[in-house]
């Protein structure tokens, strides 16, 4: 929960049991999803494991994925998780090198927004869902960190659309 040394004890416990793969999310419970993953813990997991090792944590750009694979070529699987929320084309970018353009990301956002309008009650509920999406997507834009902290409580759904990062932030932070 709060002590990195706890990971060492967990690894020793895991070694007592047969398993095909151990997926490691190198964080403490108190980290939540803030800060950087604790790669020292992942290094320990990679030391002579009796099972395949998977990685999960903070990959939002193809360059981060490539860096992880270069550092840990023996890693068996990699979870893109929140990186796919921020950049729905991340897997394509990793595989082909083709970057996600602002228009395609906007189309994804608009599609998701329309789906939310069909299934969720009220603009306010949708706005808070979209704000959560912005928190992840802000890494796709330059100089846009401020948008995730905007107070959207007075917006209606159309204001949120026109005041979003798609209109106010330059693209290009997704490499």
């Amino acid at each position: 929960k709060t002590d990195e040394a706890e990971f060492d004890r967990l690894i020793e416990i895991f070694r007592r049991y047969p398993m095909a793969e151990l997926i490691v999310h190198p964080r403490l419970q108190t980290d939540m999803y803030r800060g950087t993953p604790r790669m020292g813990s992942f290094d320990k997991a990679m030391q002579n494991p009796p099972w395949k090792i998977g990685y999960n944590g903070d990959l939002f750009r193809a360059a981060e994925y490539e860096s992880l694979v270069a550092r840990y070529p023996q890693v068996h699987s990699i979870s893109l998780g929140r990186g796919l929320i921020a950049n729905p084309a991340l897997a394509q970018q990793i595989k082909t090198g083709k970057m996600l353009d602002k228009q395609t990301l906007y189309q994804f956002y608009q599609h998701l927004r329309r789906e939310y309008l069909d299934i969720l009650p009220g603009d306010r509920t949708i706005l808070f869902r979209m704000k959560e999406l912005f928190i992840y997507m802000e890494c796709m834009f330059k100089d846009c960190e401020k948008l995730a902290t905007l107070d959207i409580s007075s917006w209606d759904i159309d204001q949120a659309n026109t005041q979003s990062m798609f209109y106010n932030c330059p693209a290009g932070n997704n490499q």
Side-chain angles (χ1 to χ4, degrees):
K1 291 183 177 191
T2 61
D3 182 6
E4 259 187 275
E6 187 175 350
F7 185 77
D8 297 334
R9 294 187 297 275
L10 288 171
I11 287 291
E12 290 310 312
I13 292 169
F14 293 148
R15 286 182 185 276
R16 294 183 207 153
Y17 300 96
M19 63 177 92
E21 181 176 11
L22 177 66
I23 300 173
V24 179
H25 186 88
R27 292 192 183 278
L28 296 175
Q29 182 180 5
T30 54
D31 291 340
M32 303 293 287
Y33 288 100
R34 294 182 298 271
T36 58
R38 297 169 183 268
M39 297 311 289
S41 294
F42 193 71
D43 289 338
K44 291 174 185 175
M46 295 299 293
Q47 294 172 3
N48 302 313
W51 355 258
K52 296 173 183 169
I53 296 288
Y55 177 83
N56 180 0
D58 276 19
L59 297 175
F60 290 91
R61 296 174 185 83
E64 294 165 342
Y65 172 90
E66 291 159 7
S67 176
L68 182 82
V69 170
R71 182 173 174 184
Y72 304 102
Q74 68 276 34
V75 73
H76 177 258
S77 62
I78 297 172
S79 173
L80 300 177
R82 294 176 300 139
L84 286 172
I85 296 170
N87 177 356
L90 180 59
Q92 168 190 292
Q93 187 177 340
I94 290 167
K95 188 172 183 175
T96 68
K98 183 179 178 192
M99 302 294 288
L100 177 68
D101 62 86
K102 191 174 179 178
Q103 182 62 34
T104 303
L105 185 60
Y106 181 68
Q107 289 169 351
F108 167 76
Y109 160 81
Q110 286 289 66
H111 177 78
L112 184 61
R113 183 176 167 267
R114 281 191 304 274
E115 293 295 320
Y116 278 163
L117 284 167
D118 287 345
I119 63 170
L120 295 174
D123 284 1
R124 188 173 176 89
T125 302
I126 297 165
L127 287 169
F128 281 102
R129 292 279 177 105
M130 299 315 284
K131 182 179 178 181
E132 185 175 2
L133 181 66
F134 287 170
I135 291 168
Y136 294 116
M137 284 185 165
E138 70 189 11
C139 71
M140 299 297 293
F141 298 89
K142 296 177 185 174
D143 306 319
C144 207
E145 293 80 17
K146 63 189 175 295
L147 280 177
T149 62
L150 288 176
D151 176 13
I152 62 171
S153 59
S154 64
W155 293 2
D156 65 28
I157 195 72
D158 293 321
Q159 284 179 309
N161 185 34
T162 60
Q163 294 181 18
S164 73
M165 66 183 73
F166 300 101
Y167 293 99
N168 299 320
C169 298
N173 202 23
N174 62 345
Q175 297 182 2

